[in-house]
């Protein structure tokens, strides 16, 4: 009985490993980055310090859902203690996000670039082992290679004045018409605010506000893509 149980557990572990997906985290920036990978519903990311021109791989469950981001000037412990500079992204300290849902509806992987809260670094996603379909949204490679200019009122800066990130209208002003809440909680009533079109113009593949789905959501058959490469400063 015990040997049969061990064999069953081993087989299950091998199946999990065989069906795992990889996120290849690649740094093309001029400085080292600290990349964070956070599963939905959890609060503690896994961090990877990645030198310029290098990459690291996160192996994840085949049904994983979550997001990843990166920051510069966060590879030292003294820097990492500053939550605004190096913490989990949110409205006070946004970062460019790559978001994933593996094995979602219709046995599809869903993925996107999000700048709904704001952004900090240029970023791209490329499926591994899959070719683009009939449209760019089918196993395509969304990218934001050139960030828009950040208005001074949306800029998040260090104590010495260096630009850390740029907030969106929603994350800065927290008003319903920008955050697509309340009476503005639909695609018909919300456009994300005056800065959203500027983000969309510079980065047409990325979400610029909550209801930007039609030009920002990418899918790939979950059995085709073995993983995804996320490149910062592509």
């Amino acid at each position: 009985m015990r040997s049969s149980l061990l064999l069953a557990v081993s087989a299950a572990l091998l199946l999990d490993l065989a069906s795992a997906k990889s996120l290849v985290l690649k740094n093309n920036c001029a400085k080292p980055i600290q990349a964070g990978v956070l599963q939905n519903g959890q609060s503690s990311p896994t961090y990877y310090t990645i030198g310029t021109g290098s990459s690291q791989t996160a192996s994840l469950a085949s049904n994983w859902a979550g997001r990843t981001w990166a920051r510069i000037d966060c590879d030292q412990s003294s820097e990492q203690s500053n939550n605004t500079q190096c913490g989990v992204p949110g409205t006070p300290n946004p970062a460019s996000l790559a978001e994933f849902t593996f094995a979602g509806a219709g046995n599809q992987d869903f993925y996107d670039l999000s700048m709904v809260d704001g952004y900090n670094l240029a970023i791209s996603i490329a499926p591994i082992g899959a070719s683009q379909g009939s449209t760019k949204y089918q196993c395509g490679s969304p990218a934001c290679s050139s960030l828009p200019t950040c208005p001074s009122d949306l800029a998040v800066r260090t104590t010495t004045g260096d630009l850390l990130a740029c907030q969106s209208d929603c994350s800065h002003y927290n008003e319903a018409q920008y955050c697509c809440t309340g009476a503005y909680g639909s695609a018909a009533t919300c456009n994300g605010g005056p800065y959203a079109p500027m983000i969309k113009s510079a980065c047409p593949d990325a979400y610029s506000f909550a209801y930007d789905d039609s030009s920002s959501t990418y899918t790939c058959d979950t059995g085709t893509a073995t993983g995804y490469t996320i490149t910062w400063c592509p």
Side-chain angles (χ1 to χ4, degrees):
M1 176 68 75
R2 181 177 174 81
S3 59
S4 298
L5 179 61
L6 288 173
L7 286 172
V9 170
S10 298
L13 288 173
L14 288 172
L15 181 61
D16 284 345
L17 288 172
S19 61
K21 292 215 173 193
S22 297
L23 293 185
V24 178
L25 312 171
K26 185 175 181 181
N27 178 18
N28 278 359
C29 301
K31 292 183 176 183
I33 61 171
Q34 184 194 63
V37 177
L38 182 62
Q39 183 174 321
N40 289 349
Q42 296 187 356
S43 58
S44 298
T46 300
Y47 285 112
Y48 302 80
T49 298
I50 308 171
T52 299
S54 298
S55 63
Q56 291 196 37
T57 300
S59 183
L60 303 167
S62 59
N63 61 348
W64 184 85
R67 61 194 188 275
T68 183
W69 66 91
R71 300 189 189 275
I72 59 173
D73 297 327
C74 288
D75 55 310
Q76 304 297 321
S77 58
S78 58
E79 298 165 334
Q80 293 164 8
S81 63
N82 185 329
N83 285 331
T84 298
Q85 182 168 325
C86 301
V88 174
T91 55
N93 61 341
S96 310
L97 299 177
E99 302 177 316
F100 298 89
T101 298
F102 298 156
N107 205 31
Q108 297 286 306
D109 292 345
F110 292 79
Y111 58 102
D112 65 79
L113 300 177
S114 177
M115 299 182 176
V116 172
D117 286 336
Y119 58 83
N120 67 332
L121 295 173
I123 186 172
S124 66
I125 302 172
I128 299 169
S131 300
Q132 182 174 305
S134 58
T135 76
K136 72 175 187 177
Y137 301 107
Q138 298 172 329
C139 300
S141 300
C144 176
S145 300
S146 181
L147 296 172
T149 300
C150 184
S152 58
D153 58 326
L154 302 182
V156 180
R157 297 188 179 276
T158 65
T159 54
T160 58
D162 294 329
L163 183 66
L164 280 175
C166 189
Q167 294 177 307
S168 65
D169 292 310
C170 172
S171 60
H172 184 74
Y173 295 109
N174 193 29
E175 295 184 6
Q177 65 266 39
Y178 302 153
C179 297
C180 303
T181 57
Y184 299 90
S186 71
T189 57
C190 188
N191 62 14
Y195 191 50
M198 300 180 196
I199 295 175
K200 197 65 177 179
S201 177
C203 302
D205 294 343
Y207 271 85
S208 59
F209 68 101
Y211 287 102
D212 200 8
D213 305 86
S214 62
S215 60
S216 309
T217 300
Y218 289 70
T219 63
C220 197
D221 187 277
T222 195
T224 302
T226 60
Y228 297 85
T229 298
I230 301 94
T231 304
W232 287 276
C233 308

